[in-house]
Amino acid sequence: MKWQLIKGAALLSLAWGLVAGTVVPAMAGTFDKIKERGKLVVGVKSDYKPWGFIDAAGNLAGMEIDMAHDVAHRLGVKLELIPVQTANRIEFLQQGKIDLIIATMSDNPKRRETVGIIEPLYYAGGTNALLRKGVGVSSWQDVRGKKLCGTQGAYYNKRVAELYGAEIIAFAGNPEAMNALLGGNCIGFVQDSTFIGSTLASGDAKWADFEMTLPTEDEQGWGIAVPLAELNGPYGDFMRKVVTDWHRSGKLIDIERKWGIKASPFLQTMNKMYR
Amino acid sequence: METVWEWFRWLDKTHGIDLSVFYDTGDRHRFLMGFLTTILLSLTCLMSSLAIGFIGAWAQQSQWRWARLAVGAFIQFFRNTPPLVQLYFFYFAIGGMLPKFADASGMASPLFGSFFWAAVSLSLFGGAFNIEIFRAGIEAVPRATIEAAESLGFSKGQIFRLVAFPLALRFSLRALNNNMVNLVKTTSLAYAIGVPELLYVSAQIWSDQLNTREMMTLLLFSYVGLVGAMVWGMHRLERALRMPGYGQ
């Protein structure tokens, strides 16, 4: 019995060591891998209209999908799009399921320890809330103790909960959170200001009773990301050149306009800087 | 205790094994609350699914045809649909249709939150299986035993309560055990409608700390511990209810 217990404990610690101690192998040469198989695999959003969404024909479309197409075009390879979610996009890149993240991902120091975020950043947004009209919230302080819907894995959930004391109910994706908001399960939906802006601008009648009145806070840049080990290798260098060129040529401003997104001051600034 | 937490901080610094739920006070609190929510949700679902199983099995033996048909329809509905679909159905479809009431701030808010709907949906899901498990147990009660009770002048209700069900419960315990284990594990689906249970808080923590591997491992071991404790309890019950000559 005793011997069995010891054996059990040894097995458990061995299992722990295997799971926790294994270092993800550095995926050297993604660049070569892409060229060899003639295909670039990009992780994009499918619930973030109009940056990444599923169009009427059932295909992934949007501003970031256009960007992915451009990268593949420049590499001279085919493009495969994989829909990712906020809570799993980083793991997908680490596991090598995708070669590149273009999925509305904000830049922050913690993420920089895990993935290679390409500078310059390509977009910027801040934290805001889509609020039901007449809920009596006129400043961020007013959300204390109130229920706000959110998306699992978003970096601002923690900040809004800790700083302003809101109760965040987070769902797997934007559609679920927005349904819960429409169903009255929360007074508002914490999201990126850009997303809320384009939701309201879509003119969909179901959002007629909602507004975005709080000041946009904690503005963060969005970055595309490559595996961390390749940030300073040829793959990272290539992606830096691509994003710089997007800013210089005004391509991002063009795509933004194409999708009917309100002109972002960030893109104008970057365009002036690189031109 | 502080030295234990510090040891985990050291583990993170020197070996890169980031178990933030032990050294970070905020994460520790979140994880603990998630664990408690899972336990509370599990207990609620276990109790009410047992009650549903008991009532359903009793109604199935009823002379009224409509009662038997209703139970049959209930089982077909809840056993043949995925639990995640049921959760979404209750939370978004049923929850959205119910009347809303003004809360303290004067806002129209729904009567029930996500925890309530998770408890309802999972109890019905577990209950549907429990009815079948109890039925199998009842059918295993020897016909001769029932006839003996009848000849002693027991009424139909008395036979069910005093003879058939106590025996059936003992026959059902093993299968019931399996279903209970499954139910506790299924509570993790409540993650999808925003119930802050174990999986939900873990996802929040690994999104903030980016320690997915460590959290996944810890999550796995947490469930092993939780289900292990429950199985141990069920085995104790099995032994306590043991009747010589019946099955063991």
Side-chain angles (χ1 to χ4, degrees), chain A residues 12 16 19-20 22 87 90-91 110-111 114 135 152-153 157-158 168-171 176 179-180 183-185 187, chain B residues 17-19 30 88 91-92 100 105 107 109-110 191-194 200 204 206-210 212-213 217 221:
Chain A
L12 272 183
W16 176 270
V19 178
T22 316
I90 288 176
E91 283 75 29
K110 193 85 197 177
R111 282 180 182 158
T114 343
V135 291
Q152 274 154 11
N157 291 352
K158 193 178 179 187
I168 306 276
I169 313 173
F171 293 85
E176 289 92 342
N179 264 316
N185 294 294
I187 62 157
Chain B
I17 298 177
D18 183 7
L19 285 161
R30 279 201 281 183
Y88 277 147
Y91 187 72
F92 289 114
K100 296 189 172 42
S105 62
M107 255 290 292
S109 44
Y191 165 77
I193 57 167
Y200 176 96
Q204 297 283 313
W206 79 59
S207 299
D208 292 337
Q209 307 282 0
L210 301 177
T212 317
R213 259 180 302 141
T217 315
F221 280 104

Side-chain angles (χ1 to χ4, degrees), chain A residues 157-183:
Chain A
N157 291 352
K158 193 178 179 187
R159 185 176 167 276
V160 173
E162 284 179 359
L163 205 56
Y164 302 118
E167 187 190 330
I168 306 276
I169 313 173
F171 293 85
N174 287 330
E176 289 92 342
M178 290 161 99
N179 264 316
L181 175 62
L182 287 170

Side-chain angles (χ1 to χ4, degrees), chain A:
Chain A
M1 184 66 190
K2 207 169 177 189
W3 177 233
Q4 268 186 340
L5 270 180
I6 294 170
K7 266 206 295 198
L11 266 178
L12 272 183
S13 45
L14 185 69
W16 176 270
L18 279 178
V19 178
T22 316
V23 179
V24 176
M27 289 165 295
T30 303
F31 210 35
D32 297 334
K33 194 176 83 184
I34 295 167
K35 289 195 164 153
E36 216 167 87
R37 69 175 174 211
K39 189 172 78 177
L40 171 75
V41 185
V42 183
V44 293
K45 283 283 179 82
S46 62
D47 64 352
Y48 211 96
K49 201 175 176 183
W51 282 267
F53 65 102
I54 293 173
D55 67 11
N59 299 315
L60 283 160
M63 176 164 173
E64 294 187 330
I65 281 80
D66 286 356
M67 291 162 58
H69 275 293
D70 188 63
V71 177
H73 180 71
R74 282 166 196 252
L75 281 167
V77 294
K78 276 192 261 174
L79 175 69
E80 184 186 343
L81 295 167
I82 304 247
V84 295
Q85 288 186 326
T86 304
N88 67 18
R89 57 191 169 191
I90 288 176
E91 283 75 29
F92 273 29
L93 183 67
Q94 284 181 319
Q95 293 163 0
K97 275 200 182 107
I98 54 178
D99 305 321
L100 187 67
I101 300 179
I102 313 185
T104 70
M105 188 170 75
S106 304
D107 175 28
N108 68 39
K110 193 85 197 177
R111 282 180 182 158
R112 281 188 184 223
E113 290 174 17
T114 343
V115 288
I117 293 181
I118 298 290
E119 282 182 291
L121 302 172
Y122 69 91
Y123 211 76
T127 309
N128 212 316
L130 178 61
L131 292 168
R132 189 181 279 277
K133 283 180 187 165
V135 291
V137 171
S138 52
S139 76
W140 279 103
Q141 273 71 28
D142 294 338
V143 301
R144 182 164 296 279
K146 299 215 165 83
K147 285 183 182 142
L148 289 177
C149 290
T151 317
Q152 274 154 11
Y155 71 96
Y156 36 73
N157 291 352
K158 193 178 179 187
R159 185 176 167 276
V160 173
E162 284 179 359
L163 205 56
Y164 302 118
E167 187 190 330
I168 306 276
I169 313 173
F171 293 85
N174 287 330
E176 289 92 342
M178 290 161 99
N179 264 316
L181 175 62
L182 287 170
N185 294 294
C186 44
I187 62 157
F189 173 37
V190 187
Q191 243 298 357
D192 198 280
S193 52
T194 54
F195 181 76
I196 300 176
S198 73
T199 303
L200 288 171
S202 70
D204 193 330
K206 64 182 174 209
W207 299 113
D209 277 339
F210 292 85
E211 58 189 3
M212 178 168 70
T213 47
L214 296 177
T216 296
E217 286 206 337
D218 194 27
E219 190 124 309
Q220 304 274 347
W222 294 3
I224 67 178
V226 298
L228 186 57
E230 302 195 45
L231 182 58
N232 296 312
Y235 185 39
D237 288 339
F238 174 82
M239 289 315 303
R240 261 187 289 279
K241 280 198 203 103
V242 171
V243 180
T244 311
D245 191 56
W246 281 343
H247 282 305
R248 183 186 302 124
S249 63
K251 180 163 181 75
L252 289 174
I253 298 177
D254 292 343
I255 314 180
E256 189 187 37
R257 194 179 304 127
K258 171 185 160 194
W259 290 103
I261 304 167
K262 202 174 115 200
S264 141
F266 175 80
L267 287 187
Q268 309 291 333
T269 315
M270 293 303 266
N271 181 238
K272 282 201 189 79
M273 208 167 98
Y274 284 102
R275 203 164 45 192

Side-chain angles (χ1 to χ4, degrees), chain B residues 93-125:
Chain B
I94 303 283
M97 283 192 311
L98 290 184
K100 296 189 172 42
F101 292 89
D103 63 5
S105 62
M107 255 290 292
S109 44
L111 208 46
F112 305 114
S114 45
F115 184 91
F116 175 86
W117 287 120
V120 168
S121 152
L122 294 174
S123 299
L124 293 175
F125 174 70

